[in-house]
Amino acid sequence: MQQLPRYIAMMLLVLAMSANAQTSNSGRLSAWLQETIRQGNRQASSSSTAKSGRRAEVASMLTTVFVQMNDSLDDKTLAQYGCKKYAQLGDVAIVTMPLDNVDSLSKHPEVLRVEANDKARITMDTVPGITNLLPLYEQTASHLPYTGQGVMMGLMDVGFDLTHPTFYNNTTLSEYRIKAFWDQLAPIGNIDRLPVGSEWTTAEDLLSRQCATDGHEQTHGTHTTGIAAGSGYDSPYRGVAWESDICLVANADIEDTALIAKDDYYLYTTATDALGFKYLFDYADSQHKPCVVSFSEGYTPLMDNDDRLFNLFLSRLVGPGHILVASAGNECQEMTYFRKPLGVACAGSFTRVFRPTVEYRILADGNPVVRLIAYQGKDVVDKELRLPMDSENWKDDQLIDTLFINEDTCAVSISRYQTTFIEGKTVYQITLTANRSLNRLEHLALVIEGTDCEAEVFGSATNSFGNYDTDVRWNAAEKSHNILAPGCFESVITVGSTSHRQSYTNVKGDVMSDVLDPEAGHVSWFSSVGPTMDGRTKPDVTAPGKNIISSLSSLYLEAHPNETSNHVQHFDLDGRTYVWGALTGTSMSTPIVAGIIALWLQANPTLTPDDIRGILQRTCQHPEAQLSYPNNLYGHGEIDAYKGLLDILGIDGIKELSHHQPRSVRVTAKDGLMHLQFDNKTSEPILLSIYATSGTLVHRQWLKPTSQEMTIPLPVRSNGIYAIQLTSQDKAVTGSQLVKL
């Protein structure tokens, strides 16, 4: 193809960047919404397609937004801007409204801020042993003390197969455990309280529905729900809280774009996700049950500024019996951050991007100089562009220039705005757009200069950096500061991943393994790490996230019959082929933690997010003893379900009580008798101690086993939960077990 003359290419690129750059931020209207309004106006003006259904009278595309306002702004005034309110917590409401009216609403004297952000992206047979779950319940068909009964497990995800037998109570299929389902991508229903999609609340309707709208193309939610709450049906792959009730929301992620009508695209935002979380908690409240919500998705926060109202809304949504758990993300495969400290002349790194456009954000407390340096080879500078942030060439808080690299061009657009989330800082968004993929140009370094200011530069997994030997001065990039939102929010319990299962065998007999695996039990190589953009330690906790086996969508299998490399077992039921398969990511570790918290809520339904963090701080395992905890790799450590339960019950302080289950003996109690079944006959005497949850020792005696089974009378008269402690020279027999009498 004949190359455009340089000046024409320059003009086209600069004009393109001007059209997409952010305008001046008034502080009332989030940056993402500013750009969305422009895009929406362009689409509305170019589209001749008539709106359908209840949107017929709307003159422009609708969007879902957060609105923060004074008390004097009533619903009648909001309605004048075409707003329909769906939720309000304090001074923050969630409304749908025409894009055309968002800017006008933001200028109303009683409106403090209007905000939204784009859609998120998706980020068990060995798990009970690793997370110390077994002491909470026996792996038999008997009724168990802590299985999630009386707790609502909420999940918002994509790709639900509603028919999978793991969502029944057991192999009898006598009770269907999914109680309510809001599919945000379904055709608009007749439920006025939901801005998008439809709702199903009976087993008959849910099973007739079969799957979420995206269930033929995605399977992620089937897997995470199975991890959190699946019964396992007839397999070893039982979920954590396998007797909890289940409530689901199918939201729209980036991969669902093709399923969204063009005119409805901006109805699906972070505000819609917030309504999904509220739906799950509201349904649990209607059933008078505590609820933990698991969310295995996330997006790169925009310096947290565009997410301030989302953060505020969620902080008001959680509380006693309302716990939100979200994945940290899988962003640590790339270098996404570098820092230029105060007093240091300069720091930088090279762009590592495989497309023509890249965006970075610079957080600074002064006026740095941004340098772009293009290299012909090692230490050989071809071209350079210097852009002082105190320049007089800003227009509407935008600075535009072009870097010429031989026959190539790279348009540069920088926007600036004050962040209300991080006091005293200025955010500079820099966008580079080349005439071809940036990785095909010479190495391009982004350098920050200025001794008198401190600056941090943030990218993402798709807007990353590379440290190369082209010029070793610009090798400041590191793998950190990549926790996704909403996991970066303070009110959310954020989960990272550890790796335990190094390989598995699929249905074809192939052994699937990963050469990047760290030492077993350590943080996974992909798991996002902190701190957050505003400097807080995250994640809060870790759990196994590598090669976790759970349910997958049978509808997805029908649509993609050859994509079976991660399947470990197929089985047929009622004419359908169902799947157990392995997936990897913090998406998998998140429902493990959520399931364990459901068991803890069964013990104490009023636990708050701060209570959960306290339990984690006191009871988590520390995979790397040389580290201090909490830290930005593991948070408080790897979750320990049993130690957490003992802490909740107030019996973790009993000095003699083991924090692990006996490895080679099963303890059960029923009808006034205690039964002990040993894996191997032992000749060592055993000291039996029984403690009430108050910590009181209610009975103690020595046992002398004469066979692999023994039954003794229980000298306990009151019903309740008791801790059974066995102590012996045989270490496999030593441990504690909770029993319900």
Side-chain angles (χ1 to χ4, degrees), residues 565-587:
S565 61
N566 66 327
H567 295 187
V568 299
Q569 183 182 338
H570 293 166
F571 66 98
D572 294 328
L573 181 69
D574 295 335
R576 299 191 67 84
T577 299
Y578 291 98
V579 183
W580 301 111
L583 290 177
T584 288
T586 56
S587 287

Side-chain angles (χ1 to χ4, degrees), residues 54-55 64 86 96 182-189 191 194-198 264 267-268 272:
R54 69 179 189 181
R55 312 267 201 279
T64 309
Y86 288 93
T96 61
W182 176 19
D183 187 345
Q184 295 184 348
L185 285 168
I188 300 280
I191 301 175
L194 304 177
V196 294
S198 296
D264 290 340
L267 282 170
Y268 299 91
T272 321

Side-chain angles (χ1 to χ4, degrees), residues 604-624:
N604 182 352
T606 64
L607 292 173
T608 68
D610 284 342
D611 293 333
I612 298 296
R613 287 192 183 87
I615 296 165
L616 296 174
Q617 180 180 12
R618 294 186 294 270
T619 66
C620 276
Q621 305 171 42
H622 294 164
E624 298 186 56

Side-chain angles (χ1 to χ4, degrees), residues 57-86:
E57 75 284 1
V58 179
S60 71
M61 298 172 68
L62 296 178
T63 186
T64 309
V65 298
F66 298 97
V67 181
Q68 188 176 31
M69 55 197 173
N70 292 324
D71 292 340
S72 56
L73 188 65
D74 56 22
D75 291 354
K76 184 177 179 180
T77 303
L78 285 173
Q80 293 175 3
Y81 293 87
C83 296
K84 182 171 183 179
K85 186 165 68 177
Y86 288 93

Side-chain angles (χ1 to χ4, degrees), residues 161-346:
D161 177 357
L162 305 175
T163 72
H164 201 291
T166 198
F167 303 136
Y168 287 83
N169 55 338
N170 51 40
T171 55
T172 67
L173 305 181
S174 58
E175 180 189 350
Y176 185 62
R177 293 170 46 237
I178 300 176
K179 306 302 181 181
F181 174 47
W182 176 19
D183 187 345
Q184 295 184 348
L185 285 168
I188 300 280
N190 58 0
I191 301 175
D192 197 51
R193 62 187 173 85
L194 304 177
V196 294
S198 296
E199 177 188 37
W200 291 263
T201 57
T202 69
E204 181 181 3
D205 289 343
L206 283 158
L207 292 170
S208 177
R209 176 69 179 166
Q210 292 197 329
C211 68
T213 300
D214 58 7
H216 295 273
E217 297 302 321
Q218 302 215 50
T219 188
H220 193 262
T222 306
H223 199 267
T224 57
T225 308
I227 293 171
S231 68
Y233 185 56
D234 187 20
S235 79
Y237 310 122
R238 187 170 67 188
V240 178
W242 52 276
E243 287 193 331
S244 61
D245 286 343
I246 301 170
C247 184
L248 303 176
V249 172
N251 71 328
D253 76 343
I254 291 296
E255 295 182 14
D256 284 327
T257 300
L259 300 174
I260 301 173
K262 179 181 177 182
D263 291 342
D264 290 340
Y265 182 83
Y266 294 114
L267 282 170
Y268 299 91
T269 67
T270 48
T272 321
D273 286 345
L275 287 176
F277 295 135
K278 188 174 186 298
Y279 174 89
L280 295 168
F281 287 126
D282 285 351
Y283 183 80
D285 290 345
S286 74
Q287 303 301 304
H288 309 291
K289 293 182 178 181
C291 179
V292 55
V293 171
S294 180
F295 186 56
S296 291
E297 300 178 26
Y299 61 94
T300 302
L302 304 181
M303 294 299 177
D304 291 3
N305 187 56
D306 273 13
D307 307 312
R308 184 165 61 87
L309 296 188
F310 192 13
N311 179 27
L312 183 59
F313 190 87
L314 294 186
S315 70
R316 294 172 178 174
L317 193 58
V318 301
H322 283 192
I323 311 296
L324 176 58
V325 182
S327 57
N330 306 319
E331 305 291 292
C332 221
Q333 71 271 31
E334 299 286 350
M335 289 184 285
T336 58
Y337 170 83
F338 72 84
R339 174 175 175 262
K340 192 210 73 63
L342 182 68
V344 174
C346 52

Side-chain angles (χ1 to χ4, degrees), residues 364-377:
D365 59 2
N367 293 306
V369 174
V370 175
R371 291 174 61 194
L372 289 170
I373 310 173
Y375 288 80
Q376 285 185 331

